[in-house]
Amino acid sequence: MSANVCRSQAEAATVCLGRHHTSPTRLDVSFWESTDGQALQLEWPMPDDRARASWLNRDDATRDGAYAIVLSVLEVTRGLLPLSRTMTRSGADWWVVPADRLAADSHLNYEDAIRVEVSGMDRCRSEGALLGRLQDKTEQVRRGGDGPAMAGVVAFETRRVAFRSA
Amino acid sequence: MSVELHDRAMQVAADAGERARAGDAEGSRALLVEAANLEAQAYELIPGERRRTRGAIAVSAVSLWLQAGDERMAAALAARVLAADDLPEAARTELVNVIVDTQRRRQAASSGRVSALGSFEVALRGPDIRVAGAVPLETVLLKMDQFRNYIFRVGELVLQLPFRTSRAASELADSIVPIVSPATIGSYRFELGVELLPEQLTLVSERRRIDPDEIAARAFEIIDEAVTSPDTLGERVREPLYTDWFTRSIRGLAPTGKGLNEIEVSRPATRSSTKLLPESGKQLDRLIQAARRAARKDLASQPQEVEALGKLRAVHLDKGWVVVVDERGAEHQFDIGAGVFDDVIGPLVNHRVKIAATREGRNLVAQDIVEAE
């Protein structure tokens, strides 16, 4: 992932978080397959007016902010790194791989890469709404291709991040 | 080798995005063509045993051609890859879809019509759906009728036409044609799209050119917002009258749980999907009832509330009344109130409905008509 894309998505995340919280913020992370949740402390700079104006489009900000949060959480909790953004028709948002599989290889290798579908919710009425979205996204990514895949949903209002393997 | 070419393709595609954002559409397109060529070269170099990787990069190259607006090249590459390579099923399906979509649009174009790239799929699920996707005609006709009216209203919103309150037909009725593609087996699934008739282009160009893709995209977005965040539907639609109409229309689209318990709407182009469930309709109903209660509070005298259940047998749009036949066969006439839209209740003729009405003098005025559970 390029530094520019990384910075841009991180800024989107600060705008989304800034609508509901102040830094530092506790993120409650769960993986469907595991009973234990995980709490992560997230420190972030409050966005200035310029950043807020740049991310005035709520949909764009929520989508890119969710990318930043999901990819960061996957790296910290599962050691997964982004390999590439997927194309429009390719079934998910990102390809990620375990850090140790990013070995030098002159040919592309997506054989064991995980397709990740990401969804962001600015407001979230309930935990049920979050899990409902997670189920929908899991089904979507399952239908969209073969091999390992997962969905990750970020609810900025409730500081929740939930994952489920497809 | 392939990594290098792919990285360059992605960089060039990112540059194309920057150009597009800066308003340089032509420059962006040229870069996307370059990116598509680089990605196609990367695909050729990936070792044959890496089937999943070859599938992902082939789809990526085809997608870049589509983004560059060159469907012919996209379909040609898809066909070549399908003929020569043993790709995983998901990648093959994507490539076949590109060829089918291209052919469909080519067919429409040959008669001067414009077909939407971003049509959406509707899947009906529930006890009414029999083995192999067989479905009672009445069930599917109701939903198709409701979706047709919904698409016209979305088109009017996209074109920023004033909200249509009269009983007149949509101004777009002679310009766009909602189309439905054959269902596939499983759930009852059909594809909805929009075609634009060529002779109407000049008629609407004074306002704004109709973009069938934009209508399809907005149609999906509005349903998704109504399902996931009904409270904020107004922020998404931004026009209060349209918001009220969409709230009522999507409540009507949502399954009651009796014959259908799930309607999935998805956009194959973006892989987005959303589900209308009985609860989705109930949530929207709560908003509608809350708005009615709030409106009633402002009235000097409180009208008597009446509720009726029966089959909607007649709608007279010019005279503004409906007739409902109750369980005993007795007919009841209601005037059509302000919150009842003919293109929301029209599809409900011959279906069981619940009417919330008020008594105004000797007349009963229907304030809300909804399909009975």
Side-chain angles (χ1 to χ4, degrees):
Chain A
M1 188 194 244
S2 76
N4 283 346
V5 170
C6 207
R7 266 194 294 271
S8 165
Q9 292 180 355
E11 186 179 70
T14 66
V15 170
C16 296
L17 287 164
R19 290 197 194 111
H20 309 286
H21 313 287
T22 52
S23 177
T25 308
R26 197 189 73 181
L27 282 183
D28 293 322
V29 179
S30 67
F31 287 83
W32 187 267
E33 298 74 18
S34 152
T35 50
D36 299 329
Q38 216 171 335
L40 300 176
Q41 175 103 330
L42 186 67
E43 290 181 25
W44 45 282
M46 272 308 273
D48 57 20
D49 289 346
R50 208 162 145 189
R52 274 193 289 268
S54 302
W55 291 101
L56 209 54
N57 183 311
R58 191 180 62 163
D59 293 349
D60 289 353
T62 307
R63 180 199 61 208
D64 284 17
Y67 287 160
I69 300 284
V70 160
L71 294 175
S72 304
V73 170
L74 284 178
E75 181 176 348
V76 170
T77 61
R78 292 291 192 267
L80 296 169
L81 293 177
L83 181 61
S84 169
R85 182 84 168 82
T86 63
M87 279 295 157
T88 316
R89 299 185 77 101
S90 50
D93 294 313
W94 289 90
W95 293 98
V96 299
V97 284
D100 58 5
R101 301 297 291 272
L102 274 178
D105 187 339
S106 60
H107 285 301
L108 293 162
N109 189 352
Y110 287 29
E111 300 306 293
D112 301 317
I114 302 165
R115 290 181 303 116
V116 183
E117 169 67 20
V118 179
S119 182
M121 301 168 82
D122 179 40
R123 297 180 194 170
C124 181
R125 281 173 289 113
S126 63
E127 179 73 2
L130 174 90
L131 296 179
R133 174 77 69 94
L134 181 64
Q135 187 178 342
D136 288 349
K137 292 295 166 186
T138 308
E139 280 176 28
Q140 179 186 319
V141 75
R142 184 184 298 135
R143 280 197 308 267
D146 48 59
M150 67 161 73
V153 177
V154 181
F156 287 100
E157 185 179 15
T158 54
R159 299 174 287 101
R160 279 280 285 124
V161 189
F163 292 93
R164 184 170 180 175
S165 294
Chain B
M1 300 284 273
S2 59
V3 167
E4 214 174 288
L5 285 165
H6 171 72
D7 286 350
R8 272 173 54 204
M10 292 299 101
Q11 186 53 55
V12 174
D15 293 345
E18 294 283 320
R19 288 272 182 96
R21 278 190 286 280
D24 179 8
E26 206 40 55
S28 170
R29 190 187 168 281
L31 287 175
L32 284 167
V33 167
E34 187 185 337
N37 275 315
L38 287 166
E39 192 75 328
Q41 288 172 41
Y43 158 77
E44 299 288 355
L45 294 175
I46 299 164
E49 69 274 13
R50 295 188 182 177
R51 293 174 65 237
R52 192 169 184 240
T53 311
R54 287 178 70 82
I57 301 303
V59 170
S60 173
V62 166
S63 173
L64 284 164
W65 278 119
L66 288 176
Q67 286 179 47
D70 196 331
E71 286 192 323
R72 197 181 58 82
M73 286 299 290
L77 177 61
R80 189 161 57 81
V81 169
L82 281 168
D85 210 339
D86 176 29
L87 299 179
E89 200 50 43
R92 294 188 70 81
T93 304
E94 282 297 345
L95 297 175
V96 168
N97 283 340
V98 168
I99 295 170
V100 170
D101 285 351
T102 305
Q103 182 57 25
R104 189 175 290 162
R105 270 187 298 283
R106 206 174 276 182
Q107 201 175 34
S110 68
S111 55
R113 290 169 286 134
V114 181
S115 189
L117 178 70
S119 55
F120 54 95
E121 281 183 4
V122 179
L124 308 181
R125 300 192 182 100
D128 265 4
I129 311 300
R130 324 288 210 260
V131 174
V135 57
L137 196 56
E138 199 172 309
T139 305
V140 77
L141 284 179
L142 170 65
K143 290 301 150 197
M144 284 188 177
D145 217 4
Q146 290 174 324
F147 270 109
R148 183 193 56 197
N149 292 343
Y150 176 74
I151 284 174
F152 276 119
R153 287 284 185 172
V154 173
E156 290 163 20
L157 174 71
V158 166
L159 287 170
Q160 296 169 357
L161 299 182
F163 184 77
R164 175 167 47 92
T165 50
S166 72
R167 313 284 174 220
S170 171
E171 252 188 88
L172 298 182
D174 294 328
S175 305
I176 62 172
V177 182
I179 51 169
V180 62
S181 302
T184 55
I185 287 174
S187 55
Y188 186 85
R189 188 184 289 267
F190 56 91
E191 197 178 302
L192 270 177
V194 181
E195 276 186 358
L196 179 60
L197 299 176
E199 60 271 25
Q200 299 301 324
L201 278 170
T202 48
L203 294 182
V204 294
S205 61
E206 282 169 22
R207 283 189 291 267
R208 208 178 140 195
R209 198 181 176 86
I210 300 178
D211 178 355
D213 287 335
E214 191 182 356
I215 294 174
R218 287 284 274 159
F220 176 81
E221 275 174 23
I222 292 170
I223 289 182
D224 189 40
E225 187 79 8
V227 169
T228 55
S229 182
D231 300 331
T232 56
L233 182 62
E235 291 169 33
R236 166 77 65 171
V237 176
R238 293 204 188 101
E239 296 281 346
L241 291 171
Y242 276 105
T243 303
D244 186 30
W245 190 91
F246 285 124
T247 307
R248 290 168 192 271
S249 160
I250 297 169
R251 175 187 60 172
L253 277 174
T256 59
K258 198 177 166 197
L260 297 175
N261 50 30
E262 185 178 298
I263 297 177
E264 183 176 13
V265 180
S266 50
R267 295 201 71 214
T270 57
R271 291 267 172 203
S272 321
S273 71
T274 194
K275 277 182 193 159
L276 283 160
L277 305 170
E279 184 52 29
S280 320
K282 284 177 187 157
Q283 275 179 9
L284 293 166
D285 190 58
R286 281 194 281 274
L287 290 178
I288 292 165
Q289 301 316 327
R292 279 191 61 210
R293 280 195 297 276
R296 271 206 310 271
K297 273 207 304 202
D298 298 335
L299 296 175
S301 66
Q302 294 298 311
Q304 185 194 346
E305 296 272 334
V306 179
E307 220 177 67
L309 201 64
K311 192 174 264 192
L312 183 64
R313 293 294 294 169
V315 178
H316 199 308
L317 299 180
D318 293 334
K319 293 188 176 166
W321 49 252
V322 298
V323 172
V324 170
V325 176
D326 68 21
E327 310 281 320
R328 296 183 309 253
E331 285 190 1
H332 304 273
Q333 184 172 319
F334 297 82
D335 291 342
I336 296 177
V340 177
F341 301 103
D342 57 287
D343 49 356
V344 173
I345 60 165
L348 295 175
V349 172
N350 282 330
H351 287 263
R352 282 188 77 242
V353 295
K354 190 172 82 176
I355 296 193
T358 49
R359 190 174 289 284
E360 294 179 15
R362 294 174 60 190
N363 291 354
L364 288 169
V365 181
Q367 305 295 346
D368 193 23
I369 302 179
V370 62
E371 188 184 5
E373 286 177 26

